[in-house]
Amino acid sequence: TGLNSFIPRTGFILGGEYLVRPDLYTQRTLKASLEYTWKVKKTTEHSLRAIRIQSIDPSNTTPKFDSILADDISLQASFEKQLVLGSQYQFFYNNTFKEKKRFTYSAKFNVGTSGNIYSMLSRPEVDTPGAVKLFNLPVSQFVRLEADLRGYFRLSPKLILANRMITGTAFAYGNSSIA
């Protein structure tokens, strides 16, 4: 909340994750994105990830985990090798810094897509799920909407009642059958 609070920021984000669940699976994830964040005022922030790339590579699944996947097609789809290539926009409102107010809140809204940039550039001629590939990985195609709402009601100077609601939905299209 100093003088630099409203200066737009550009970020290049690289990351990786290696998750080992010995009795279930191993999963390697690589992530990269180009992010631009700016504040309009003290309460309001926007963030645009113009390019977001994520490679998901599960391996070493056990028979126990395979039986769990067999019963849940959505979970099975989330544990397939895939490439998420898209963009994301986030709007964040926060007035919780206003200590004199009895009720404060924050609201975060996300819209994320995958496969839209790749589809515009490559114009694939197939409509079979999983058929469109890049680097031999299926390119996921979806639109995802999310909301995270938090409310804080000050009951006394040292006691605050906090509430939270998270909701979202996703729509698969093109190369994906499940989001």
Side-chain angles (χ1 to χ4, degrees), residues 95 98 101-105 150-154 163:
N95 74 354
K98 297 180 178 181
K101 286 187 143 263
R102 191 168 172 116
F103 178 75
T104 58
Y105 62 95
R150 301 174 192 203
Y152 305 93
F153 189 72
R154 187 176 310 279
N163 294 286

Side-chain angles (χ1 to χ4, degrees), residues 22-111:
D23 56 333
L24 299 173
Y25 60 88
T26 300
Q27 181 167 302
R28 290 178 297 277
T29 305
L30 298 174
K31 301 175 185 181
S33 65
L34 170 63
E35 180 175 279
Y36 186 68
T37 303
W38 69 100
K39 279 188 145 185
V40 183
K41 52 187 172 180
K42 192 173 181 179
T43 57
T44 309
E45 182 177 285
H46 300 270
S47 180
L48 176 65
R49 286 188 176 167
I51 300 171
R52 189 173 141 263
I53 302 167
Q54 182 174 2
S55 169
I56 301 167
D57 183 15
S59 61
N60 301 330
T61 59
T62 63
K64 176 182 175 182
F65 190 63
D66 290 339
S67 67
I68 294 170
L69 291 178
D71 294 336
D72 188 341
I73 193 164
S74 295
L75 184 62
Q76 185 179 23
S78 69
F79 275 90
E80 293 176 352
K81 282 186 178 186
Q82 57 187 299
L83 183 65
V84 177
L85 179 61
S87 53
Q88 179 179 343
Y89 169 76
Q90 177 179 283
F91 172 83
F92 182 57
Y93 179 87
N94 182 9
N95 74 354
T96 60
F97 61 87
K98 297 180 178 181
E99 294 179 10
K100 304 239 186 253
K101 286 187 143 263
R102 191 168 172 116
F103 178 75
T104 58
Y105 62 95
S106 68
K108 186 185 299 184
F109 301 99
N110 281 309
V111 177

